[in-house]
Amino acid sequence: MRIPLSWIREYTQFPADATAEDLMADLVKVGLEEEDVHRPSDQLSGPIVVGEVLEKHPEPQKNGKTINWCQVRVAPEGQPQPLTGEGIDPSGVQGIVCGAHNFEVGDKVIVTLPGAVLPGDFRITPRKTYGHVSAGMIASVRELGIGEDHDGILVLGTLGLDPEPGTDAIELLGLDDSAAEINVTPDRGYAFSIRGVAREYSHATATSFTDPASQVTVGEVAAPGYEVVLEDHAPIYGTPGCDSFVARTVTGVNPDAPTPTWMASRLRLAGMRPISLPVDISNYVMLELGQPNHCYDADKLSGAIRVRRAQPGEKLVTLDDKERELHAEDLVIADDDGALGIAGVMGGARAEVSSSTSTIVVEAAHFDPISVGRSKRRHRLPSEAAKRFERGVDPVLPAIAAQRVADLLVELAGGTDAGTVTQVGDPALPEVIELNTELPQRLTGVPYGLDQITESLSAIGAVVEAQQSGVLKVTPPSWRPDLTFPESLVEEIARLVGYDQIPSRLPVAPAGRGLTKAQQRRRQVYSGLAAAGLTEVLSYPFLSEEANTLFGRPEESEEPMPVIRLVNPIASQYPTLRTSILPGLLDALRRNVSRGFGDLALFEAGSVFLPGEQHGTAEIPGIGAYPGEQVIAQLQAGIPHQPLHVAAAFAGQEPADQVGQAGRARDWADAVEAARKVAELLGVQLDVQQGRHQAFHPGRTAALHFDGKLIGFAGELHPKVAASLDLPARTSAMELNLEVLIDASPDQVSAEPISTFPPTTQDVALIVDEDLPAATLKSTLVEGAGELLESIDLFDVYSGTGIEDGKKSLAYALRFRAADRTLTAEEASAARSAAVELAAQRHSAAQR
C-alpha cells in the first residue's frame, strides 16, 4: 500500500516537514512493515514552469517532417523573468522547437527550461536544431513521468487548469508530493486504505485522527433505487457470497470532465494510472476508505441487478478485454442479459462507463472473502478490489462509500444525485469476545493494568464493557474481521503498548526429550556417508513416467507402473511422484559431470511415494469447520505410503590421477560398499546376492536383502541406460529402503571385546558349481567354522585350465582367534575342516 503524504495529512497530524521515511518509521512501531519510498522529485527537477504559447509557426522539413517554431511566455505578462541561467531569456519569452501539433496559440503548456532534469536523467540545455536555437522543451505527460501518452504535449486546459505563466509546474501537478509504501499482512486488510493507515499512525504517535468515513453524510432516501436481488443458491461453507449491496444513481454526469490534478497526482503516487473521471473517482474512494466500488452505465443495464453464482458455460469479457469462462462457484453481478462482472474481482466490459455515459449506477457491496479469493486465483486476476475483499472489508462501509462516490460525481462531473438508494442485505457484525484480564500478562509477561487494557482496545475502535470476575466483554470494530478470539485482542494490546515492553526470556527445554530413535539413526547414516567422502544432494520428487517405470521396478513389464499422479504438476513432463530416488540423484550427477566435475560420489535420502488401493479422496473438505473423524480417516487412508530411501551414485576415479600413481576407477564395488556402510552404521547386516534389475548391468548387479526381504539394489548402470542419461559408461549406484533398516536397528550397539591373543590364518580353495554365488558359499563356511572364526575374505576366483567345465574355484582366507587362549594349529584346522565339510554337504564343494 502506497500512502501519499498530502493525503494522510488530511486525516492526521502528520507534520508538514516530515518525510516518507518518518512516516514509515512511525508505522513500524505498530507492526506495519516498511517497503519503499516513491518521490517523483528524485528524478525530476526544475526549472519546470507553465508557459503560454504566443506564436506557432509550422515549418516543413526536407525529411518530410513538420516542426513548429514557437514563442512561449514563461513569466507573468509585464513582469521580468525571475529565473536565471544559461539559455533562459530575461524577457520571459522562450523560443522553442516542438514536433507535436496538438496545441494552438493561447494554450497553456508545461515548459522545461534549460537546467531542468527529466526522468531518465534527461537534461534540458539550449541546442541548435532545424535552424533554430531551442531554449527549452514543451513537455508531454510521458516526458514528465506522469503517464504513457507520448503522442502530444500536455495542454493544461484539458485538465481544467488555467494557471498564470511562470507558475511552478512541479507544485501545480503535485509532483512535489511523495509516498511511503508499506507491506500489509493478510490479517490487516484495513491497512489497504488511507483510513486504516491514518488510524495506525495516530496509534503510533498518540495524536488525533479524523475518520474519513465520518466526513461523509449519507443522504436520506427519496425513493427506492435500482432493483437489486441477492440470490446465492450455492453458498461456500454456508456463507452467502454477498450479504450487503448498496446502489445509488447519479444522473447528468459529464464523463469527459477532466480529473483534478490533485486527484490524479494522488492516484499516481498510490500506484494507479488515471483513466477517466468516473473511474478515477471510484479508485480514489477505494484507496481512501478501503471499500471497493464500481460504476455502471445505467443505459447499458437490462433489468434488475442480480448477485448470483455463474451459470454453466457462462462467459464474461472483463475490463481487461479478455473473455473468461466462468466457473459455477464464481459469484457474479448480472442483469437480464448475463454477467456484468466477477463479484469483488473485476467488472465486465458490457456495462463499462464510456464517453457517452450520462447516468451512473454506483455499486458498493460486501462480499465473502473466500468466494472472492477463489475466483481471483481461478482466473488469475489479482485486482486491487480482490486484494481488499479477500482480506476482509468493513461491512458497514458500502453505504458510506456509495455516497462518497456519488458526492464526487456531483462535485467534479456535474452530476445530480437522484436520491434513490437501494440497500439489500444485512451484513454480519463482529461478535462479542470475553477477555480475561489476566490473559495479556500470562501470554506476554507484561503486567498490563485494567486501564491500559481498556484504553488500548478502545483505541482500535472496540467497545469494552467490564464484567465481574475479571472478565471484559469486547466487541471488535467492524473493520477488524481478524479479531475473533481473546488471543487476537492480546496481540493488539501488546502492539499498541509496544512490543519493546515484552521481556526477552529463553524458554527452558523440558526434561526427558531429545531426538527420536529414527532421527538419531538418520543422522548417523547421513554423517557416516559424508565422512566416507560422499556429498549430499537434494532433488525434486517429481519424475516422468518413463523414469519411474525404469527405476521403480526390477523387471520389464508391459503393464503400466502404479504411480501417484499429480493433478497440477510442476511441469508437464514430470506428472508423477517418485517411486525411486535414483532418477533425481542421477540427474544431479549428470549436471555435475557436464560442468567438468568428473570424479563424483553423491548421495541423497528422502521419501518415495508408493500407491496403495486408494489415492486421495473424491472431495476435499472445507477449511471452515472441523470435518469429523470419519472424513479425517478417509484422508489418512488416501495418503500413499512414503518410506524413507537412501541412494548413492558414483562416477570417475578414487583417488584422482596423481603424479606417479594412477587413480582407481569407481565401479560396482563402491556402490555395494556404500550399501554395506549404511547397514554397518545402523548395526545391522545386509545379505548381498547376485541380482537383476532392468536399469543395471546384467552381470554387475547385487540384490540387497535384509531378514529375507529384498530392500534394494547396487551395481553398475546398464550401458544403454547410462548413455541415454548422458552419464559416464561405468556409472554405479545403489538404493536402499532405509526405513526398514532403521526399524530393525538395535537401540544400543554393544562393542565386542578385542582379544589380545594372536590369530591363526588358514586358506581354503573349493571347487563348486559355476552358478553358485560366492556369498552363499561364504555364509556356509561361516556357519560351519563356528565361533572361533573371526573373519573370512574371498581373495581368488578361478575357472579354466585344471577346472572342469561348469565349475569354478573360490579361495577364502579364514582367520581364527579365541578370546581366552592362544589357538593351536589343530583347533584351527578342525574348525576349517568343519567349514569345508558343511560346504561339501550343501554345495557338493570339493577342495582344490
Side-chain angles (χ1 to χ4, degrees):
M1 175 67 187
R2 298 183 183 182
I3 309 104
L5 302 190
S6 63
W7 207 346
I8 201 170
R9 285 190 179 102
E10 288 189 11
Y11 305 113
T12 65
Q13 293 180 321
F14 186 66
D17 58 348
T19 64
E21 288 84 356
D22 296 330
L23 176 60
M24 290 192 297
D26 288 326
L27 293 176
V28 165
K29 298 176 185 177
V30 287
L32 295 173
E33 301 175 9
E34 59 182 357
E35 283 289 328
D36 201 358
V37 172
H38 301 271
R39 187 179 290 114
S41 59
D42 287 345
Q43 297 187 6
L44 190 74
S45 62
I48 302 175
V49 298
V50 173
E52 181 181 1
V53 180
L54 302 179
E55 298 178 13
K56 175 185 175 185
H57 301 289
E59 297 182 357
Q61 304 297 312
K62 293 180 181 180
N63 59 7
K65 181 179 180 181
T66 298
I67 61 96
N68 294 302
W69 170 239
C70 305
Q71 298 296 313
V72 185
R73 183 186 301 282
V74 292
E77 186 175 1
Q79 297 183 22
Q81 172 62 268
L83 302 173
T84 58
E86 181 184 357
I88 298 179
D89 196 310
S91 69
V93 177
Q94 300 287 124
I96 299 175
V97 172
C98 182
H101 304 281
N102 65 318
F103 65 99
E104 300 297 337
V105 172
D107 283 343
K108 301 289 180 66
V109 294
I110 301 297
V111 179
T112 57
L113 295 174
V117 180
L118 299 181
D121 198 28
F122 182 69
R123 299 178 180 273
I124 304 300
T125 58
R127 62 191 182 95
K128 187 172 182 179
T129 179
Y130 296 108
H132 301 281
V133 175
S134 182
M137 184 177 73
I138 304 176
S140 68
V141 293
R142 184 176 178 183
E143 289 162 341
L144 293 170
I146 60 176
E148 295 300 321
D149 185 10
H150 195 55
D151 294 335
I153 63 163
L154 173 59
V155 178
L156 295 177
T158 61
L159 302 181
L161 299 177
D162 186 23
E164 186 178 31
T167 302
D168 185 352
I170 293 180
E171 181 179 352
L172 175 70
L173 298 176
L175 299 177
D176 56 342
D177 199 0
S178 58
E181 184 175 359
I182 59 172
N183 180 40
V184 179
T185 54
D187 61 328
R188 302 178 72 178
Y190 65 92
F192 270 119
S193 66
I194 299 298
R195 181 194 190 205
V197 175
R199 182 182 285 108
E200 290 301 307
Y201 177 78
S202 71
H203 296 333
T205 58
T207 55
S208 62
F209 156 69
T210 301
D211 188 348
S214 67
Q215 304 291 96
V216 179
T217 302
V218 179
E220 296 183 1
V221 180
Y226 204 94
E227 183 181 0
V228 176
V229 180
L230 306 182
E231 48 183 19
D232 186 359
H233 300 307
I236 300 175
Y237 305 144
T239 301
C242 177
D243 58 15
S244 176
F245 194 107
V246 176
R248 299 189 73 95
T249 303
V250 180
T251 61
V253 172
N254 177 12
D256 294 327
T259 299
T261 54
W262 57 267
M263 179 179 285
S265 171
R266 289 179 176 180
L267 288 173
R268 284 192 299 269
L269 273 176
M272 287 189 165
R273 178 174 59 91
I275 299 173
S276 66
L277 181 58
V279 175
D280 294 344
I281 288 174
S282 176
N283 288 333
Y284 187 85
V285 172
M286 177 182 67
L287 293 173
E288 183 176 68
L289 299 177
Q291 170 68 54
N293 57 88
H294 193 74
C295 292
Y296 298 97
D297 187 332
D299 295 332
K300 297 177 182 178
L301 298 178
S302 175
I305 292 176
R306 298 182 181 276
V307 185
R308 57 170 174 81
R309 297 292 169 179
Q311 298 172 353
E314 191 169 12
K315 295 182 179 181
L316 170 69
V317 177
T318 47
L319 288 173
D320 57 359
D321 292 327
K322 293 183 179 179
E323 184 179 69
R324 303 180 186 275
E325 185 170 349
L326 301 175
H327 187 275
E329 199 179 68
D330 288 331
L331 188 73
V332 297
I333 312 297
D335 63 3
D336 293 347
D337 291 338
L340 294 166
I342 304 174
V345 180
M346 183 175 285
R350 179 163 61 86
E352 180 182 7
V353 173
S354 65
S355 58
S356 61
T357 300
S358 61
T359 301
I360 289 177
V361 174
V362 180
E363 164 217 311
H366 184 257
F367 298 114
D368 174 40
I370 295 177
S371 180
V372 172
R374 288 189 178 183
S375 293
K376 182 200 81 169
R377 289 185 289 274
R378 184 179 298 115
H379 297 287
R380 295 179 173 87
L381 271 174
S383 65
E384 290 292 327
K387 185 190 301 182
R388 288 160 175 80
F389 276 124
E390 68 177 346
R391 287 167 170 80
V393 173
D394 188 348
V396 303
L397 271 181
I400 298 172
Q403 181 69 63
R404 176 68 164 147
V405 173
D407 291 345
L408 289 173
L409 287 172
V410 171
E411 177 186 352
L412 303 176
T416 301
D417 190 342
T420 59
V421 179
T422 302
Q423 188 158 356
V424 182
D426 188 14
L429 297 178
E431 297 181 356
V432 175
I433 303 172
E434 291 191 351
L435 175 66
N436 190 311
T437 54
E438 296 179 357
L439 183 63
Q441 180 175 354
R442 192 161 67 243
L443 293 180
T444 65
V446 180
Y448 300 111
L450 179 59
D451 292 342
Q452 206 169 19
I453 294 173
T454 303
E455 290 174 3
S456 298
L457 295 177
S458 298
I460 66 171
V463 177
V464 183
E465 299 178 19
Q467 295 291 110
Q468 296 179 350
S469 304
V471 176
L472 298 177
K473 280 193 172 183
V474 182
T475 304
S478 58
W479 57 85
R480 294 298 302 273
D482 58 306
L483 302 180
T484 56
F485 49 90
E487 288 76 8
S488 61
L489 297 177
V490 174
E491 182 181 2
E492 290 301 298
I493 296 168
R495 184 173 69 88
L496 295 189
V497 175
Y499 291 130
D500 58 331
Q501 301 297 313
I502 300 176
S504 298
R505 185 178 63 191
L506 292 175
V508 178
R513 297 187 181 181
L515 297 177
T516 64
K517 173 187 172 182
Q519 290 171 328
Q520 291 175 343
R521 298 298 183 267
R522 288 200 299 267
R523 292 192 178 191
Q524 288 174 358
V525 171
Y526 304 162
S527 298
L529 290 175
L534 283 78
T535 300
E536 184 176 11
V537 298
L538 294 174
S539 63
Y540 286 116
F542 313 115
L543 297 181
S544 65
E545 293 188 71
E546 295 77 12
N548 257 334
T549 300
L550 178 62
F551 289 94
R553 58 185 174 191
E555 302 295 334
E556 295 185 28
S557 174
E558 295 182 359
E559 295 294 327
M561 175 76 179
V563 292
I564 303 297
R565 189 174 299 277
L566 298 170
V567 175
N568 186 22
I570 190 172
S572 59
Q573 63 268 37
Y574 304 122
T576 62
L577 288 173
R578 66 186 179 192
T579 57
S580 168
I581 295 180
L582 279 178
L585 179 61
L586 293 174
D587 190 53
L589 186 76
R590 177 192 60 77
R591 285 197 302 272
N592 280 274
V593 169
S594 69
R595 291 166 185 169
F597 298 96
D599 303 320
L600 292 166
L602 308 179
F603 81 93
E604 180 179 3
S607 295
V608 298
F609 304 86
L610 308 180
E613 295 182 359
Q614 177 182 342
H615 299 173
T617 56
E619 296 182 359
I620 299 176
I623 61 175
Y626 183 70
E629 298 297 334
Q630 183 177 358
V631 175
I632 291 178
Q634 292 176 351
L635 291 173
Q636 294 289 351
I639 297 175
H641 182 45
Q642 303 172 42
L644 180 68
H645 280 208
V646 62
F650 303 87
Q653 297 180 328
E654 174 58 34
D657 289 338
Q658 301 178 24
V659 177
Q661 180 180 355
R664 178 189 66 84
R666 290 189 170 101
D667 57 17
W668 62 267
D670 295 275
V672 173
E673 181 58 28
R676 284 188 168 132
K677 180 70 175 178
V678 171
E680 178 186 346
L681 290 166
L682 295 174
V684 296
Q685 189 170 1
L686 285 178
D687 181 13
V688 181
Q689 302 177 10
Q690 182 73 33
R692 292 185 61 82
H693 192 289
Q694 61 175 330
F696 285 82
H697 193 292
R700 299 169 187 167
T701 303
L704 308 174
H705 292 79
F706 177 77
D707 197 21
K709 297 179 180 179
L710 178 66
I711 63 169
F713 289 89
E716 283 187 19
L717 292 183
H718 195 290
K720 291 184 178 179
V721 172
S724 67
L725 299 177
D726 294 327
L727 293 170
R730 299 295 298 273
T731 300
S732 56
M734 76 86 182
E735 183 170 4
L736 275 173
N737 188 329
L738 185 59
E739 190 170 287
V740 171
L741 299 182
I742 290 176
D743 291 342
S745 64
D747 293 335
Q748 292 182 345
V749 178
S750 301
E752 297 182 1
I754 299 175
S755 175
T756 58
F757 295 94
T760 297
T761 302
Q762 295 194 13
D763 297 341
V764 61
L766 300 175
I767 299 175
V768 296
D769 292 340
E770 193 173 32
D771 59 355
L772 179 68
T776 302
L777 181 59
K778 177 181 177 181
S779 298
T780 301
L781 293 174
V782 170
E783 182 181 346
E787 62 181 10
L788 293 179
L789 181 66
E790 184 178 72
S791 66
I792 177 172
D793 294 302
L794 177 69
F795 66 86
D796 183 58
V797 179
Y798 175 74
S799 61
T801 305
I803 304 295
E804 64 179 290
D805 292 342
K807 299 287 185 178
K808 64 182 177 181
S809 171
L810 301 177
Y812 295 88
L814 286 71
R815 186 166 66 181
F816 301 95
R817 193 197 309 254
D820 56 351
R821 67 188 187 283
T822 299
L823 288 179
T824 63
E826 290 76 9
E827 289 177 307
S829 297
R832 174 183 176 278
S833 298
V836 172
E837 183 178 352
L838 185 60
Q841 293 175 3
R842 291 185 179 177
H843 311 298
S844 301
Q847 290 196 67
R848 182 179 171 190

